[in-house]
């Protein structure tokens, strides 16, 4: 169920909805809808969203008032039902959700329990939540929000319109661009995992680089991004990291790259722009990974990758090759059988 | 070493211990024990727990006063040692630990530093810890405990006898049933990883669903459960999630399912009741996974699974099939050798 | 860019730098350097660090004042450039970073917002940060630092010169040795994932052991180490755990072992001294893993391992064997082709 409290936009006729969604109406254009909902959970009044063939089976029993449906599935909904048909369903859904669920208004304020250090420069229209700790020398740009219990370490800089959800920790000298969103429990700038053996013990190498994050980055809950050892760790503009991702020291993640949950990238590996890493995938250290690379879930990368590659498995290899070798392995019992038959036949032939 | 301070129950004779454990005494029933301990760490006075053949080697040198042992291993302990023999060792151990280590008593109180918003409804006998933040419109049921530095987001609802350990964050509109335990650093309800491409950039889709957790669920430390995008993310009653688990938006985890640490489930995948996921296992998005499925550690599921299946590997396949193909791969050197021999033989035969 | 504020040591001539680094000067010994930087990011005045053949391509365009270079690569830098040549580049870099970036001084103090319980024993020269919560019966050794928003649970004991970064939670009765560093969001001592089936439900087994950490251990951000169930979970002296690592109840990690990010070790598994686990590797429960074992990234261990082994893959097998079977699988298409040819030839021979 969507949340009544966050609803802000009023009801829409299908005509209005189609306009916002960039689509066309089939059926009764005067039907009024109050929200968007998944096809299998839509209630009366809802615009039921259908964009995947896997969920077509729920269309017949759908209780919603009308469908928001992709061109491809426009005829997969019951005859006679009203629908808004769109060529790009996700941007359409997004536009309608932005109408029905506008961001909650918030008031600029610094909570009296927040602790603000010396030489701190706070922009206009900020929100600083309860028990937040802003250490010395921090600068925060206009319109940014720092949630409850956040710690912004000494000398850190946040751009404009950033949002730190509760309990984010930025270690000292962390740099965020504009419009960066960081979810609860993310840790930016802890020491990298850098040791060297001195007198038989693992001696820590001072981690003197920073964690530098570009504009429009979103960082998931409990994700960790280490500060650089020598030089900085950098997350490019528009990159999105899911929850529980680990980015090691001196990694560079290119602009607009996406990483699903539990991905781990080891030290100094550089990833190009617009790449995608599926969940639990990883890369070892000091690699060069190109632009537009697609890495399927759980893949383990242990060598450089050219731009545009799609890779799978451990060790990562081209996806097609992986599928082919999987198929051959599954046919191994048959191959072994054929070899056995050949041996019998050859033995017979040899005996003459 | 178990902790003196948490010890509450008094010493037990083996007769009393056997009664609580649902077992029978072999040897001196008057032996008195003060705690349960692993067979290789038991001190004088302890009841040494032995339920796995792997630890039988420690039985001879055990310093404990007596053994708590499974029927299967009843004769694996030194001749003449006193023992409580049980058919179900883990429930027996549990019953005895509940006696020796009763829950610590706690006092209902709201710490003066806790910040409680407007329109909050607090049940009877609550404990709210230091620096906790309870936002507007929250409801918390009787006998629940909210630890230090927790943030309970606006409009969230907790049932009775819940326990949030320190530094849990519930984003707005999170719903917990009764007797839900959440360990430190878990994040419930952050935004799902939902973007769509608009004008060449990843544009965020508003995440307007909730995170809804059933009765008797336990959630491990630093685990993240995203709120739904459209519709809710749901954790069924009696499910148990270990530490550092990731549950994406709109996932449904069935009742009494268990997930070990570092498991990741991608968006909209539905998992039946009573399933088990080993550590670091994962599933991609939009799958249907049945009831009573067993997923071994590190397995990667990329297709639907029927109820009752046991799967292993990447991509996940039936466990027996996985073992068989592993065995065949290990026999590949021999197969290649046989093919080489056949080629030689056939070449000889062809030459006449 | 390294951080001006943390710079403390003054400039060094190459003669002085070589002395600290344990190396020799080639070129102009009077060149003055102010910091160490990666070869591809060095600015004028920097000593450019080069210890990997992968980065030699950046040497020609390097803007630094001189090179800090390994013996092996001593001639890979441009002719005529000044350099400090060392046999062990990482200890050398470490020594120079310790000069250029000495630890920031800090003042002993207990922040007025810190909450300190009863029967707490605080050593000399402590720093306790804002909003920290020190529960009853805690003892903290001399010179330790507890960051903002930390929770040190009832009865816990910290040795001397420990450092808890902000938002660390120690559950009750946790024990840390001397010089233990814990990064933000780490959780030590939450309940292990221990249930047993009683009346068809997963019933929780009381987790009455502790989490015990040796001297000189470093624990990464958002890492979780469960308390013991029966008996303790133990991290040996000098061990280093990276971010987002999971250590289950009753695990023992041997002295000086290293675990990279996202490693998971299941319950009661014991790991010897000086072992190394690559990122996202894991081990199932109740295993015995020897000393000096090397586990490559993403490896899944499902059986005991002798000391000194290097293992790869799922299930983990000796690294060489893994590479061999990978090679054979990649040659399967050729093998299948040879079997087909044999069948044709044998068929011809049989007819002939």
């Amino acid at each position: 169920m969507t949340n009544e409290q966050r609803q802000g936009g009023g009801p829409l006729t299908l005509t209005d909805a189609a306009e916002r969604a960039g689509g066309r109406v089939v059926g009764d254009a005067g039907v009024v809808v109050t929200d968007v909902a998944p096809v299998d959970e839509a209630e009366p009044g809802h615009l039921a969203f259908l964009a995947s063939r896997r969920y077509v089976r729920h269309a017949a029993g759908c209780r919603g008032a009308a469908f928001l449906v992709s061109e491809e599935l426009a005829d997969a909904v019951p005859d006679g039902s009203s629908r808004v048909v769109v060529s790009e369903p996700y941007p359409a859904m997004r536009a309608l959700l932005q109408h029905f669920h506008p961001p909650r208004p918030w008031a600029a304020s610094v909570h009296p329990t927040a602790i603000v250090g010396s030489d701190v420069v706070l922009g206009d229209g900020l929100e600083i939540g309860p028990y937040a700790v802003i250490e010395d020398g921090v600068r925060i740009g206009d319109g940014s929000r720092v949630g409850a219990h956040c710690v912004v370490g000494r000398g850190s800089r946040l751009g404009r319109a950033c949002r730190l959800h509760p309990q984010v920790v930025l270690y000292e000298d962390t740099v965020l661009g504009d419009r960066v969103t960081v979810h609860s429990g993310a840790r930016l700038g802890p020491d990298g995992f850098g040791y060297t053996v001195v007198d038989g013990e693992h001696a820590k190498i001072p981690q003197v680089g920073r964690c530098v994050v570009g504009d429009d980055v979103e960082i998931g809950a409990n994700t960790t991004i280490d500060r650089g050892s020598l030089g900085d760790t950098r997350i490019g503009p528009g990159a999105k990291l899911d929850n529980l991702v680990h980015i090691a020291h001196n990694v560079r993640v290119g602009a607009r790259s996406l990483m699903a949950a539990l991905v781990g990238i080891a030290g100094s590996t550089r990833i190009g722009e617009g790449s995608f890493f599926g969940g639990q995938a990883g890369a070892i250290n000091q690699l060069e990974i190109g632009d537009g690379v697609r890495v399927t879930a759980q893949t383990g990368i242990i060598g450089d990758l050219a731009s545009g590659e799609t890779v799978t498995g451990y060790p990562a290899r081209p996806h097609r090759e992986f599928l082919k070798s999987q198929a051959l392995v599954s046919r191994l019992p048959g191959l072994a059988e054929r070899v056995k038959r050949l041996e019998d036949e050859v033995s017979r032939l040899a005996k003459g």
Side-chain angles (χ1 to χ4, degrees), chain A residues 57-136:
Chain A
R57 65 185 191 279
H58 299 296
C62 178
R63 303 172 58 210
F67 290 92
L68 173 64
V69 64
S70 61
E71 287 284 0
E72 194 189 35
L73 300 176
D75 297 326
V77 303
D79 283 349
S81 56
S82 298
R83 62 203 89 160
V84 173
V85 181
V86 293
S87 57
E88 297 195 74
Y90 287 94
M93 172 179 75
R94 176 172 176 267
L96 289 167
L97 288 176
Q98 286 180 322
H99 168 79
F100 290 123
H101 302 272
R104 182 192 303 289
W106 54 277
S109 61
V110 176
H111 197 277
T113 60
I115 294 175
V116 179
S118 59
D119 297 316
V120 169
V121 180
L122 298 182
D124 292 333
L126 294 187
E127 185 184 43
I128 312 279
Y131 302 123
V133 175
I134 314 293
E135 295 186 352
D136 296 350

Side-chain angles (χ1 to χ4, degrees), chain A residues 227-263:
Chain A
R227 68 189 313 105
S229 172
L230 285 187
D232 299 331
T233 304
R234 291 183 176 273
I235 310 296
K240 314 289 183 187
L241 309 184
D242 200 354
N243 300 342
L244 294 166
V245 168
H246 169 70
I247 304 292
H249 56 89
N250 299 93
V251 166
R252 300 209 179 159
V253 176
R256 294 178 307 283
S257 284
L258 269 67
M259 294 188 177
L262 291 159
V263 162

Side-chain angles (χ1 to χ4, degrees), chain A residues 76 84 87 118 173 182 228 252 298 301 343:
Chain A
V84 173
S87 57
S118 59
D173 298 313
V182 188
R252 300 209 179 159
Q298 293 195 339
I301 304 174
E343 287 168 340

Side-chain angles (χ1 to χ4, degrees), chain A residues 127-163:
Chain A
E127 185 184 43
I128 312 279
Y131 302 123
V133 175
I134 314 293
E135 295 186 352
D136 296 350
V138 166
R139 292 174 179 234
I140 304 183
D142 298 347
S144 286
R145 305 171 67 185
V146 175
H149 303 131
C150 284
V151 177
V152 180
R154 174 191 295 254
S156 293
R157 282 183 278 159
L158 284 71
R160 293 160 181 255
C162 287
R163 178 158 193 195

Side-chain angles (χ1 to χ4, degrees), chain A residues 132-209:
Chain A
V133 175
I134 314 293
E135 295 186 352
D136 296 350
V138 166
R139 292 174 179 234
I140 304 183
D142 298 347
S144 286
R145 305 171 67 185
V146 175
H149 303 131
C150 284
V151 177
V152 180
R154 174 191 295 254
S156 293
R157 282 183 278 159
L158 284 71
R160 293 160 181 255
C162 287
R163 178 158 193 195
L164 307 189
H165 287 271
Q167 294 176 20
V168 167
V169 171
L170 309 185
Y171 278 59
E172 67 179 46
D173 298 313
T174 296
V175 178
L176 307 187
D178 295 333
R179 298 171 304 279
V180 173
T181 298
V182 188
H183 283 278
S184 284
R187 317 294 172 183
L188 274 58
D191 288 346
F193 197 62
Y195 303 94
T196 187
V197 176
V198 176
D199 300 335
E201 300 289 331
H202 301 298
K204 180 166 179 136
I205 297 173
Q207 304 289 303
V208 303

Side-chain angles (χ1 to χ4, degrees), chain A residues 234-310:
Chain A
R234 291 183 176 273
I235 310 296
K240 314 289 183 187
L241 309 184
D242 200 354
N243 300 342
L244 294 166
V245 168
H246 169 70
I247 304 292
H249 56 89
N250 299 93
V251 166
R252 300 209 179 159
V253 176
R256 294 178 307 283
S257 284
L258 269 67
M259 294 188 177
L262 291 159
V263 162
I265 308 295
S268 299
T269 284
R270 297 180 179 193
I271 295 164
E273 303 192 352
S275 291
F276 174 80
F277 281 65
Q280 296 173 326
I284 67 163
N285 57 322
Q286 297 201 356
L287 301 183
E288 296 282 338
I289 296 176
D291 298 330
V293 169
R294 290 189 68 81
V295 181
T296 58
Q298 293 195 339
T299 290
I301 304 174
I302 63 172
D304 291 348
L305 286 184
S307 292
E309 285 211 58
T310 297

